[in-house]
């Protein structure tokens, strides 16, 4: 069986922890609570993406990750950390889940059994999960499209529902109001739509030809023009593929859908309220993931990504406090679904909703230490064996001060070595590149000075990572 992993999305409902260039599936804030203690990776915190790979690797011989070029390198680094490999399908533009799943299936033999899973869901009962997978495989081998319906334990208005009788799906329902959701829960005939599926490639493609022919044909055309390297498929010109979800395009229309009722301690971690439920609590039902001192406070979720920063709370009740280096979110519990509305209001404020102060690149990372009019200061880390693109800027000069490691610097064809406590100056308009040919990371401080210091002031002349 092959695990098709859907690894897109911007994760706006978990802003400011999640940003469009570093969405929630890559946040390493979850403890691996695998049933087998040997698989807990020494109790290291892991991401939903990593937990998805580890969980499904027990049942799937291969994996195919569908993502974009920005998140490809994040995925590679997190795969390296858990010592897993995968093939990749890189989308040139997001066209929703129908196109993503069809394009993935077109890369596989028709008799392949696939398990389709999002990369950003949490499943804590892996014993029950294994039993559900076994049932799904039996149904999929018989030629059915199989969906996993989560047994609801409260009236959630943020999920779609599936009405079923036994294994037979009767209908799909949109996100309900609270009264309707309560009726669904009370009836015992409805399940949360998990967005997970199991089927043979041939079964899915045959149903696509019947119910989503336009999407299928356009995906075939895109697949035919794809560039294939050893473990990566680069998709091009995807804009002409109609956008639709796999539910609307196929599942809600097909007469060949079966359901596996699943009670697997599942969460889509779609809000801070649901994230709160995944963390351990103190005696006052506070989930505290921060260096915090609290007094007379109950039922709160407090999180800070800076272990050196102290948060003090007095008399706080039913609140969510999320603190990152560049943004503080405060919300009443029960209202955190509205975070996406805050993101809409903040979207015009520069890159706040796109990136953290620390941004990851295929060669390493950089952290913005100071950003003011006329200058910007960064801490840059370049990993061993990596190099930046050969590039130039039109609006800024740069001063590089090496803190550790030895940097090989090329400026207009001239090469020099810059060692710790040494510096070098790059004038605007000059083509330059930094390489790390050593065995330890290079750490340097970069001071940019100029009339404009935005990240888009860059012309890449050569690049090892296929970026424009």
């Amino acid at each position: 069986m092959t695990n098709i992993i859907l690894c897109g999305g911007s994760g706006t409902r978990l802003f400011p922890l999640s940003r469009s260039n570093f969405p929630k599936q890559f946040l390493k804030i979850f403890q691996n609570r695998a049933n087998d203690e040997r698989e807990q990776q020494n109790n290291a915190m892991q991401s939903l993406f990593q937990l998805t790979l580890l969980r499904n690797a027990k049942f799937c011989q291969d994996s195919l990750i569908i993502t974009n070029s920005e998140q490809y390198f994040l995925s590679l680094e997190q795969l390296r950390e858990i010592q897993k490999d995968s093939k990749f399908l890189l989308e040139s533009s997001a066209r929703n889940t129908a196109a993503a799943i069809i394009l993935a299936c077109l890369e596989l033999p028709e008799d392949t059994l696939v398990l389709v899973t999002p990369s950003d869901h949490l499943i804590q009962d892996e014993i029950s999960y294994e039993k559900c997978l076994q049932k799904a495989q039996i149904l999929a081998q018989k030629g059915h499209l199989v969906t996993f319906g989560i047994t609801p334990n409260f009236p959630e208005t943020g999920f779609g529902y599936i009405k079923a009788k036994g294994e037979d799906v009767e209908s799909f329902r949109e996100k309900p109001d609270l009264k309707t959701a309560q009726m669904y829960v009370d009836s015992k005939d409805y399940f949360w739509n998990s967005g997970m599926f199991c089927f043979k490639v041939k079964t899915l493609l045959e149903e696509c030809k019947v119910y989503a022919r336009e999407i299928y044909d356009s995906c075939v055309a895109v697949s035919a023009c794809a560039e294939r390297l050893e473990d990566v498929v680069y998709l091009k010109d995807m804009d002409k593929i109609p956008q639709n979800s796999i539910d609307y395009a196929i599942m809600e229309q097909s007469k060949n859908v079966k359901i596996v009722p699943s009670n697997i301690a599942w969460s889509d971690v779609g809000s801070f309220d649901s994230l709160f439920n995944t963390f351990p609590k103190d005696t006052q039902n506070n989930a505290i993931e921060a260096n915090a001192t609290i007094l007379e406070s109950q039922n709160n979720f407090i999180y800070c990504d800076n272990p050196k920063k102290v948060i003090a709370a007095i008399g706080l009740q039913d609140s969510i406090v999320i603190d990152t280096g560049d943004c503080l979110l405060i919300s009443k519990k029960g209202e955190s679904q509205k975070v996406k509305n805050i993101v809409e209001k903040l979207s015009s404020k520069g890159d706040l909703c796109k990136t953290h102060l620390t941004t990851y690149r295929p060669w390493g990372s950089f952290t913005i230490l100071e950003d003011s009019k006329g200058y910007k200061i960064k801490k840059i880390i370049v990993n061993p064996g990596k190099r930046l693109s050969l590039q130039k800027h039109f609006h800024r000069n740069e001063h590089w001060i090496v803190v550790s490691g030895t940097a090989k610097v090329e400026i207009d064809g001239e090469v020099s070595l810059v060692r710790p406590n040494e510096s070098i100056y790059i004038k605007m308009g000059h083509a330059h590149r930094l390489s790390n040919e050593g065995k330890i990371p290079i750490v340097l401080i970069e001071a940019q000075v100029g009339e404009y210091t935005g990240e888009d002031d860059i012309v890449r002349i050569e690049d090892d990572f296929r970026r424009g």
Side-chain angles (χ1 to χ4, degrees), residues 59 126-136 148 260:
F59 318 107
E126 295 194 8
I127 294 176
S128 296
Y129 180 62
E130 181 177 4
K131 294 177 181 178
C132 291
L133 282 186
Q134 291 170 350
K135 294 177 183 178
F148 296 80
V260 174

Side-chain angles (χ1 to χ4, degrees), residues 124 154 267 272-281 287 301 333:
Q124 294 177 290
F154 61 90
S267 173
F272 283 112
D273 285 286
S274 60
L275 184 61
F276 166 81
N277 292 330
T278 69
F279 285 106
K281 314 295 190 298
F301 182 27
K333 286 183 86 277

Side-chain angles (χ1 to χ4, degrees), residues 112-127:
T112 303
L113 194 66
V114 300
L115 172 65
V116 179
T117 62
S119 63
D120 58 357
H121 290 183
L122 183 65
I123 294 172
Q124 294 177 290
D125 187 348
E126 295 194 8
I127 294 176

Side-chain angles (χ1 to χ4, degrees), residues 13 21 99 122 239 243 305 316 324 335 356 370 375 392 395 432 448:
R13 290 179 294 174
N21 287 350
L122 183 65
D239 291 340
Q243 291 202 54
D305 64 2
L316 204 61
T324 64
E335 300 287 334
H356 291 271
E370 183 75 25
Y375 72 93
K392 59 183 177 181
H395 302 283
H432 60 281
Q448 302 176 0

Side-chain angles (χ1 to χ4, degrees), residues 161-218:
Y161 285 73
I162 303 171
K163 185 180 182 183
K165 187 173 183 179
E167 295 177 344
D168 298 322
V169 171
E170 294 188 352
S171 63
F172 287 75
R173 302 295 174 91
E174 297 296 326
K175 298 175 182 178
D177 58 27
L178 184 59
K179 181 179 179 180
T180 304
Q182 186 64 63
M183 181 195 73
Y184 288 168
V185 174
D186 294 340
S187 75
K188 310 296 184 183
D189 294 329
Y190 291 82
F191 301 87
W192 290 335
N193 187 350
S194 69
M196 300 189 300
F197 310 97
C198 186
F199 45 73
K200 282 186 177 180
V201 166
K202 181 179 180 181
T203 305
L204 187 277
L205 295 181
E206 287 177 347
E207 295 293 280
C208 288
K209 293 173 186 177
V210 175
Y211 299 108
R213 188 75 201 202
E214 185 179 1
I215 299 177
Y216 173 80
D217 287 342
S218 56

Side-chain angles (χ1 to χ4, degrees), residues 366-435:
F366 67 81
T367 301
I368 297 175
L369 305 177
E370 183 75 25
D371 189 358
S372 297
K373 185 177 180 180
Y375 72 93
K376 181 187 290 186
I377 300 174
K378 293 180 178 180
K379 173 186 175 182
I380 296 177
I381 298 176
V382 183
N383 293 326
K386 303 295 184 181
R387 62 179 183 173
L388 282 64
S389 60
L390 181 63
Q391 58 188 257
K392 59 183 177 181
H393 315 291
F394 291 122
H395 302 283
R396 68 178 187 248
N397 303 300
E398 295 180 347
H399 302 261
W400 291 351
I401 304 169
V402 175
V403 177
S404 67
T406 299
K408 177 182 176 182
V409 180
E410 175 186 348
I411 303 176
D412 286 342
E414 294 188 10
V415 177
S416 57
L417 296 179
V418 185
R419 299 173 178 84
N421 203 32
E422 296 179 348
S423 64
I424 196 165
Y425 172 66
I426 299 99
K427 191 174 182 180
M428 70 176 68
H430 288 218
H432 60 281
R433 165 178 264 164
L434 184 149
S435 305

Side-chain angles (χ1 to χ4, degrees), residues 217-436:
D217 287 342
S218 56
C219 285
V220 170
V222 167
S223 180
C225 298
E227 181 182 357
R228 292 171 175 82
L229 300 181
E230 184 176 357
D231 290 319
V232 186
V233 178
Y234 293 89
L235 301 172
K236 305 174 183 178
D237 302 324
M238 292 181 61
D239 291 340
K240 294 182 180 179
I241 300 177
Q243 291 202 54
N244 209 344
S245 70
I246 194 70
D247 288 316
Y248 287 144
I250 307 296
M251 296 296 171
E252 294 187 12
Q253 302 184 71
S254 175
K255 306 299 188 294
N256 189 27
V257 181
K258 299 291 184 180
I259 189 171
V260 174
S262 307
N263 194 354
I264 54 178
W266 170 92
S267 173
D268 75 337
V269 199
S271 69
F272 283 112
D273 285 286
S274 60
L275 184 61
F276 166 81
N277 292 330
T278 69
F279 285 106
K281 314 295 190 298
D282 65 14
T283 57
Q284 300 301 310
N285 201 41
N286 296 296
I288 302 175
E289 296 293 319
N291 183 8
T293 299
I294 63 173
L295 181 65
E296 299 173 0
S297 299
Q298 297 177 341
N299 198 34
N300 300 296
F301 182 27
I302 302 175
Y303 187 98
C304 180
D305 64 2
N306 182 356
K308 296 182 179 180
K309 187 172 186 178
V310 176
I311 294 179
I314 303 173
L316 204 61
Q317 307 285 331
D318 302 313
S319 297
I320 295 169
V321 179
I322 307 297
D323 190 7
T324 64
D326 56 351
C327 186
L328 172 65
L329 172 74
I330 303 173
S331 170
K332 291 176 63 177
K333 286 183 86 277
E335 300 287 334
S336 68
Q337 288 279 2
K338 298 178 182 177
V339 169
K340 60 183 179 181
N341 299 329
I342 286 288
V343 172
E344 291 175 3
K345 291 181 176 293
L346 291 173
S347 59
S348 62
K349 296 184 181 296
D351 292 331
L352 179 67
C353 298
K354 294 181 181 179
T355 62
H356 291 271
L357 291 178
T358 296
T359 299
Y360 293 91
R361 290 286 188 253
W363 41 262
S365 66
F366 67 81
T367 301
I368 297 175
L369 305 177
E370 183 75 25
D371 189 358
S372 297
K373 185 177 180 180
Y375 72 93
K376 181 187 290 186
I377 300 174
K378 293 180 178 180
K379 173 186 175 182
I380 296 177
I381 298 176
V382 183
N383 293 326
K386 303 295 184 181
R387 62 179 183 173
L388 282 64
S389 60
L390 181 63
Q391 58 188 257
K392 59 183 177 181
H393 315 291
F394 291 122
H395 302 283
R396 68 178 187 248
N397 303 300
E398 295 180 347
H399 302 261
W400 291 351
I401 304 169
V402 175
V403 177
S404 67
T406 299
K408 177 182 176 182
V409 180
E410 175 186 348
I411 303 176
D412 286 342
E414 294 188 10
V415 177
S416 57
L417 296 179
V418 185
R419 299 173 178 84
N421 203 32
E422 296 179 348
S423 64
I424 196 165
Y425 172 66
I426 299 99
K427 191 174 182 180
M428 70 176 68
H430 288 218
H432 60 281
R433 165 178 264 164
L434 184 149
S435 305
N436 184 357

